[in-house]
Amino acid sequence: MTGGKTGGHIIPLLALAKKIDKVCYIGAKNSLEERLCKKNQITFIAMDLKNNHIIGVLKAMLKLKPPKIDKIISTGGYVSFPVLLYGILHHIPIYLLEENVIMGRTNKIFSLFSKKVFLTYPLEPMKKKYKVVGLPTLTDSLSYQSYKHLSIDILILGGSLGSKPLCDLIYTLKDKYRVCLVAGRYYEDYQSVEGVTIFNYVEDLPNLMLQAKVIISRAGASTTYEIFSIGRPCILIPSMKTSKNHQYLNALYFEQKGCALLLKEAEMENSIKQYIHNILQNPEYRLEMIKAQSRLIQRDTCEKILKELGI
């Protein structure tokens, strides 16, 4: 397995890894994927990728000495580049998993050499080797008990890397609503704010989501799919600094499908309270959003992928 930097690349592979007996994850040294693999007791090989220039990628590929590999599955990102090159040179079957509504740069390049491309959502044009299977998530062990002691109106998520603009929303909302914030790398800046429940990182995030009436989030692939899997009304405020602007395109696609509300970051300060009010005061609207989410996701994704892999 390979793919990294953000939770959108990593979490689906971790969910899949839990279903496989013999699995090895190859990623960047001192990275989020390394920390999560070690925490989940998944064999990890660290590459020294100080930059994503082609020379650095080639050096990393030449230094790779993995155990015997039968298949490679990748979620993309520059971290996966040397591993996929290694696979091509050693004639190892390559499988790709695309999390977003638009194919990432690395996946687009290596789709030419892959045996199968697993999609979370239909892409245009659909090629014969593409198959829509949904996205593996860590929602298999849901429990309403984990955070039952919390009473949450609004849950704010900044993605695996954290988001200062979304963290700042607590000052706008905390006097009117019971707010919970997952702050990520900005935790120390907000941990002393009174009247708000604040976490640094939550490994069983879907269980925390279950306690919220409304979720405010970036529009990363893994987090949004987890929201839809458990069925929660959500407001998506996409980062506009992502590769190929995929978060905005994700959020736009979800809004068009009726699964979420899209709010641009530049407009959130003036509009967020009205968006929340519209959701909380309209039970029928909330129900329709949850129904739309249910129609968009697919079940048994891990099993579908494993079947294609012959595992």
Side-chain angles (χ1 to χ4, degrees), residues 252-307:
L252 182 62
Y253 178 85
F254 300 145
E255 183 177 60
Q256 291 170 346
K257 294 291 184 180
C259 302
L261 290 177
L262 165 61
L263 180 59
K264 293 181 180 179
E265 189 173 304
E267 302 167 356
M268 68 179 183
E269 190 69 27
N270 295 326
S271 303
I272 191 67
K273 284 186 177 179
Q274 186 61 50
Y275 275 49
I276 294 171
H277 177 82
N278 291 344
I279 292 174
L280 292 179
Q281 299 303 314
N282 193 335
E284 291 185 2
Y285 180 60
R286 294 200 303 272
L287 182 59
E288 288 303 313
M289 186 181 290
I290 293 169
K291 285 181 178 179
Q293 293 172 354
S294 180
R295 289 192 294 268
L296 192 63
I297 65 170
Q298 297 204 25
R299 305 295 179 182
D300 303 318
T301 298
C302 286
E303 287 71 19
K304 292 174 185 175
I305 293 175
L306 294 177
K307 184 178 179 180

Side-chain angles (χ1 to χ4, degrees), residues 137-311:
T137 66
L138 296 173
T139 56
D140 290 343
S141 57
L142 290 176
S143 169
Y144 281 88
Q145 304 304 315
S146 299
Y147 297 94
K148 193 176 180 180
H149 61 288
L150 298 179
S151 184
I152 304 171
D153 293 323
I154 312 297
L155 173 61
I156 302 175
L157 308 171
S160 58
L161 300 179
S163 167
K164 197 170 192 314
L166 264 62
C167 288
D168 284 340
L169 282 176
I170 63 174
Y171 299 116
T172 303
L173 302 176
K174 71 184 184 71
D175 292 335
K176 186 173 183 180
Y177 301 104
R178 292 166 297 184
V179 179
C180 179
L181 168 68
V182 181
R185 58 181 169 174
Y186 300 105
Y187 174 74
E188 292 185 0
D189 297 337
Y190 296 90
Q191 61 177 326
S192 60
V193 177
E194 295 183 359
V196 180
T197 302
I198 301 179
F199 294 99
N200 178 359
Y201 175 80
V202 177
E203 187 169 354
D204 57 340
L205 185 57
N207 280 314
L208 180 60
M209 291 178 180
L210 285 170
Q211 304 303 323
K213 294 178 181 178
V214 178
I215 296 174
I216 300 172
S217 174
R218 289 301 197 190
S222 183
T223 301
T224 51
Y225 205 84
E226 287 176 339
I227 293 171
F228 301 160
S229 295
I230 65 170
R232 281 295 179 273
C234 61
I235 300 167
L236 300 180
I237 305 173
S239 169
M240 305 303 285
K241 299 177 182 179
T242 55
S243 174
K244 300 177 76 172
N245 207 20
H246 72 261
Q247 279 209 12
Y248 175 75
L249 295 174
N250 282 349
L252 182 62
Y253 178 85
F254 300 145
E255 183 177 60
Q256 291 170 346
K257 294 291 184 180
C259 302
L261 290 177
L262 165 61
L263 180 59
K264 293 181 180 179
E265 189 173 304
E267 302 167 356
M268 68 179 183
E269 190 69 27
N270 295 326
S271 303
I272 191 67
K273 284 186 177 179
Q274 186 61 50
Y275 275 49
I276 294 171
H277 177 82
N278 291 344
I279 292 174
L280 292 179
Q281 299 303 314
N282 193 335
E284 291 185 2
Y285 180 60
R286 294 200 303 272
L287 182 59
E288 288 303 313
M289 186 181 290
I290 293 169
K291 285 181 178 179
Q293 293 172 354
S294 180
R295 289 192 294 268
L296 192 63
I297 65 170
Q298 297 204 25
R299 305 295 179 182
D300 303 318
T301 298
C302 286
E303 287 71 19
K304 292 174 185 175
I305 293 175
L306 294 177
K307 184 178 179 180
E308 290 286 341
L309 293 176
I311 298 175

Side-chain angles (χ1 to χ4, degrees), residues 24-43:
C24 175
Y25 198 122
I26 304 177
K29 185 178 180 181
N30 299 323
S31 62
L32 179 60
E33 60 263 27
E34 181 176 22
R35 294 197 299 275
L36 292 179
C37 281
K38 288 183 176 179
K39 193 168 187 177
N40 287 274
Q41 298 181 320
I42 297 170
T43 301

